[in-house]
Amino acid sequence: MRYITIALAKGRLAMKTMELLEMVGISCDEIKDKSSRKLIFVNEELKLKFFLAKASDVPTYVEYGAADIGFVGKDTILEEGRKMYEVLDLGLGKCRMCVAGPESARKLLQHGELIRVATKFPNIAKDYFYNKKHQTVEIIKLNGSIELAPIVGLSEVIVDIVETGSTLKENGLVILEDICNISARMVVNEVSMKMEHERISKIIKDLQKHLNTNNK
Ligand code: PRP
């Protein structure tokens, strides 16, 4: 039996995903050791390999088949636009992708003015403004602390993730428009889905069953 390789997005989501996998009998104690610098973890009994990668790289590993399965946020899936199957919504890490800014920017959005949009998600922002709203905007790519942009005058609005809303609130910003809901998803390489159909389908079914019973 060959190994099935699972890529997890590093950080909070990885640990939550591992907890969920444990509930369906898929465990890997080594991965929980935060002091370890190991990159690959193995469950010999189930013939599974796990690795942690930067979230934005998970879809790349899965598309190329270096990982058969990936667990990653919908934000990253949309932004990266890789070819793979999205098979399950884990309901973890729920948040929203929004257009936000100062209240005063609302009218700029309504009048379709040429505004600057700062974001860590340029593809999501482009798709939203160009394809859905048909509004021409200038997209400015940032790598973090996006809320700073409208405060210091880099942009009029931002496209960013809102979870509790406290970052916006504490910085005098508000949600101006909703783009989509975000949560962690299970993704599968297209070839692996055929070659390892039985084993991968079982993981999907077990997770689905667990999620259904717990969401009732
Ligand atoms: C995310 C997001 C917001 C914040 C939203 O940032 O970009 O800044 O969380 O959460 P809240 O609504 O609960 O306040 P993250 O912590 O990933 O950091 P970064 O964007 O600065 O990299």
Side-chain angles (χ1 to χ4, degrees):
M1 191 158 62
R2 82 161 179 99
Y3 285 96
I4 283 184
T5 303
I6 300 176
L8 300 150
K10 253 193 261 182
R12 255 178 309 172
L13 197 57
M15 293 309 128
K16 282 191 187 167
T17 307
M18 283 314 295
E19 282 168 23
L20 184 64
L21 287 171
E22 264 177 28
M23 301 287 185
V24 298
I26 297 172
S27 60
C28 184
D29 288 334
E30 275 184 311
I31 212 168
K32 289 194 235 157
D33 177 4
K34 286 193 184 121
S35 62
S36 168
R37 304 292 292 169
K38 255 176 93 164
L39 295 172
I40 295 265
F41 307 91
V42 186
N43 180 327
E44 285 298 347
E45 202 189 320
L46 298 172
K47 286 274 178 266
L48 293 174
K49 280 187 188 166
F50 300 85
F51 67 81
L52 296 171
K54 197 174 156 72
S56 52
D57 291 337
V58 169
T60 312
Y61 285 108
V62 174
E63 183 187 277
Y64 283 91
D68 301 288
I69 295 171
F71 290 98
V72 67
K74 180 71 178 175
D75 50 334
T76 310
I77 296 173
L78 291 171
E79 183 59 27
E80 296 301 314
R82 293 282 178 182
K83 234 169 131 341
M84 57 193 182
Y85 296 129
E86 183 186 318
V87 295
L88 195 60
D89 183 346
L90 305 182
L92 297 174
K94 280 189 187 168
C95 47
R96 293 148 75 194
M97 185 66 72
C98 298
V99 180
E103 186 56 50
S104 59
R106 195 180 295 276
K107 58 180 182 306
L108 303 176
L109 290 167
Q110 284 162 354
H111 300 155
E113 288 188 36
L114 177 60
I115 50 169
R116 293 165 300 173
V117 181
T119 185
K120 216 161 36 171
F121 305 96
N123 292 326
I124 294 176
K126 253 181 238 164
D127 181 58
Y128 179 70
F129 280 102
Y130 295 173
N131 301 333
K132 298 210 177 77
K133 286 201 70 183
H134 306 290
Q135 178 173 1
T136 310
V137 296
E138 183 182 346
I139 311 263
I140 302 172
K141 165 87 187 333
L142 287 179
N143 297 296
S145 304
I146 315 300
E147 291 83 358
L148 259 178
I151 299 171
V152 299
L154 176 67
S155 70
E156 281 70 41
V157 299
I158 60 174
V159 164
D160 201 17
I161 283 172
V162 179
E163 193 180 351
T164 60
S166 48
T167 312
L168 290 181
K169 202 168 169 207
E170 285 182 31
N171 292 289
L173 305 172
V174 293
I175 293 175
L176 298 168
E177 286 173 6
D178 248 306
I179 300 182
C180 60
N181 289 328
I182 302 289
S183 55
R185 309 292 160 98
M186 175 176 169
V187 291
V188 178
N189 170 269
E190 293 183 349
V191 177
S192 308
M193 195 68 193
K194 293 189 184 77
M195 303 300 282
E196 293 293 339
H197 191 261
E198 208 173 308
R199 289 168 77 198
I200 294 176
S201 296
K202 181 167 180 348
I203 298 175
I204 300 171
K205 265 188 218 137
D206 289 351
L207 285 171
Q208 181 81 73
K209 207 169 137 197
H210 174 81
L211 293 169
N212 286 346
T213 4
N214 279 271
N215 291 339
K216 266 178 195 162

